[in-house]
Amino acid sequence: MNIYRYAKRTAVAGLVLLLLVTSFYLLGWHMYFFLLVFAAILFAVLFSAIANWFVDKIHLNYGLSLFLAVILFFGVIIGAFWLIAPTVSDQFSQMKSAIPQASQQVQDWLSQYSWGSTLLNKVPDDLSASQVMSGKGIPFLSGEGTLFSRVTGFVSSSLSFLIDFLIVLVTGIFFAATPKLYTHGIASLFPVRNQDRVLEVLDTLYDTLKRWLVAVLISMTIVGVTTAIAFKIIGIPMTYALAILAFFGEFIPNIGPWLAGIPAVLIGLTISSQTALIVAAVYFGIQLLESFVITPLVLKKAVELPPALLLFFQVLIGILAGALGILLAAPLLAVIMVLIRELWIKDIIKAKPLNAGEENSGEEEDTLVRKRLVRKRTIRES
């Protein structure tokens, strides 16, 4: 073997290994930043999908369509807030006082049994359910600490969330305004012969995220409306607040729906234990309907996420990045699965080996393409 070729391959392998280690390091320690970028990409996909719909249906140019998409997005949010904000705000205020009462009832019921008393004894006094729900034992909520520290803590956390959201939103609009600038920029980092394939994979990722967003929004709407109607029929108070929790909980598969169901059961418990059981049965029925009817219908053309794999991925990324990681775990796993399928399975595992003639023809084609690019650059500069 040629020693220079061997040294070159060793250097390339070492460089690739160094890049992988650096990438994992950056992902581990700066995961929050990358998740913000990914959230901006999701907004860009949403805006682009709406704009492309306007282009196809109304035949407007893309710039005007994107402007209408952004106006529509903010219009729906502001309109919904204007219509239901006063009612929902009052219901959430009632919920804040009702849930600790129901939590105390659960503790009283558990204390009647030996195993329940043992379980309660394992929970520290400052972390009991009623105290967490009411804010006792939490310095910021219970009033511990100075007024200045509480005010600055609230302002800093709210301001940080608002700044992050605005950065993500504005970045998403920039991504959606000139998508080819970024997709072709990424493709230009690869050899000429692979650039079309890179663009194809990026298009596949866009279609996957678009279908996932549409499917999730449909599921969220159906579950939220169904929950509101069912709880209204049962006569549960704070119906709209509980429906909104169910609506947003649907965005987080596996975990979100069941976390959103806990307040509903606790509110039912404030009426009677029978009502709590009815609420639990109704909510469980809605989740069964969503899992076995709604999801298969709306996700039949979208990427399929294995539930067990998604749950483990949610736990992993939740450990690395907290709540934001859990929130974005599903679309991020969809992207990873598409990349594995397209770049590893199709392009490596199932790729047919090239014979010598095809390999030489490929090299000749790359040389011709390279010469054309040099010739165009020379003409442009002259």
Side-chain angles (χ1 to χ4, degrees):
M1 176 181 292
N2 190 321
I3 187 171
Y4 296 105
R5 181 178 299 178
Y6 177 78
K8 180 180 178 180
R9 291 181 178 178
T10 304
V12 171
L15 179 61
V16 171
L17 179 61
L18 179 61
L19 290 175
L20 288 175
V21 172
T22 304
S23 300
F24 281 115
Y25 172 80
L26 292 175
L27 286 175
W29 291 99
H30 304 283
M31 177 67 76
Y32 187 79
F33 168 76
F34 290 104
L35 289 177
L36 288 181
V37 175
F38 184 71
I41 293 174
L42 282 180
F43 273 109
V45 170
L46 177 62
F47 293 142
S48 296
I50 300 175
N52 288 326
W53 186 87
F54 283 135
V55 171
D56 294 337
K57 302 299 181 180
I58 312 180
H59 305 292
L60 299 175
N61 64 72
Y62 182 79
L64 181 59
S65 299
L66 180 61
F67 176 76
L68 293 178
V70 175
I71 294 298
L72 178 63
F73 175 80
F74 284 105
V76 170
I77 293 178
I78 294 174
F81 182 81
W82 181 268
L83 289 175
I84 66 175
T87 303
V88 173
S89 178
D90 293 338
Q91 292 186 2
F92 273 111
S93 298
Q94 298 173 21
M95 188 182 301
K96 183 179 178 181
S97 59
I99 288 181
Q101 176 186 351
S103 302
Q104 188 61 48
Q105 293 181 16
V106 173
Q107 292 186 26
D108 295 339
W109 177 76
L110 289 175
S111 62
Q112 298 176 4
Y113 304 93
S114 58
W115 60 270
S117 300
T118 303
L119 179 63
L120 291 176
N121 291 332
K122 297 293 184 180
V123 180
D125 294 336
D126 58 344
L127 291 178
S128 61
S130 61
Q131 289 174 332
V132 171
M133 291 295 181
S134 62
K136 297 178 181 179
I138 303 176
F140 170 68
L141 295 177
S142 62
E144 298 178 8
T146 64
L147 176 63
F148 178 78
S149 64
R150 284 183 283 146
V151 172
T152 53
F154 174 77
V155 171
S156 62
S157 59
S158 301
L159 186 61
S160 176
F161 171 78
L162 181 61
I163 291 175
D164 288 344
F165 179 76
L166 289 177
I167 290 175
V168 167
L169 191 60
V170 173
T171 306
I173 295 175
F174 284 154
F175 283 158
T178 54
K180 290 185 178 180
L181 175 65
Y182 303 99
T183 55
H184 286 74
I186 294 174
S188 65
L189 300 176
F190 294 85
V192 176
R193 65 178 179 273
N194 301 125
Q195 290 182 6
D196 289 340
R197 176 57 177 159
V198 173
L199 292 174
E200 180 184 349
V201 172
L202 291 176
D203 288 339
T204 304
L205 290 175
Y206 167 77
D207 291 336
T208 300
L209 290 177
K210 181 182 69 175
R211 291 195 300 267
W212 183 86
L213 280 172
V214 171
V216 168
L217 288 175
I218 292 175
S219 297
M220 292 170 64
T221 303
I222 293 177
V223 169
V225 172
T226 305
T227 302
I229 295 174
F231 287 175
K232 201 72 175 179
I233 293 175
I234 297 174
I236 299 297
M238 295 160 267
T239 300
Y240 298 116
L242 295 174
I244 287 178
L245 289 178
F247 173 82
F248 286 107
E250 197 63 28
F251 188 83
I252 308 175
N254 296 331
I255 302 175
W258 302 110
L259 289 179
I262 294 176
V265 176
L266 292 176
I267 295 299
L269 190 61
T270 60
I271 301 176
S272 66
S273 57
Q274 292 81 4
T275 304
L277 290 176
I278 293 174
V279 170
V282 170
Y283 196 84
F284 184 72
I286 293 174
Q287 291 305 312
L288 288 180
L289 177 67
E290 186 273 336
S291 300
F292 294 101
V293 178
I294 300 175
T295 297
L297 288 177
V298 299
L299 284 177
K300 61 182 179 180
K301 292 184 178 180
V303 62
E304 296 182 1
L305 302 177
L309 179 61
L310 176 58
L311 182 59
F312 281 116
F313 188 73
Q314 287 175 319
V315 173
L316 174 62
I317 200 169
I319 294 173
L320 294 176
L324 183 61
I326 298 177
L327 186 67
L328 299 177
L332 187 58
L333 180 61
V335 168
I336 294 174
M337 291 182 62
V338 170
L339 291 176
I340 293 175
R341 185 186 69 230
E342 296 293 328
L343 300 180
W344 176 252
I345 297 178
K346 288 186 178 180
D347 292 354
I348 296 179
I349 301 297
K350 295 183 178 180
K352 296 181 179 179
L354 297 175
N355 55 40
E358 292 176 341
E359 186 175 0
N360 291 333
S361 62
E363 294 178 356
E364 292 175 359
E365 182 179 355
D366 291 342
T367 303
L368 291 175
V369 172
R370 202 173 295 111
K371 288 181 178 179
R372 292 194 196 102
L373 292 176
V374 173
R375 190 180 303 113
K376 289 181 180 179
R377 191 180 301 112
T378 303
I379 295 173
R380 192 182 304 115
E381 292 176 355
S382 60

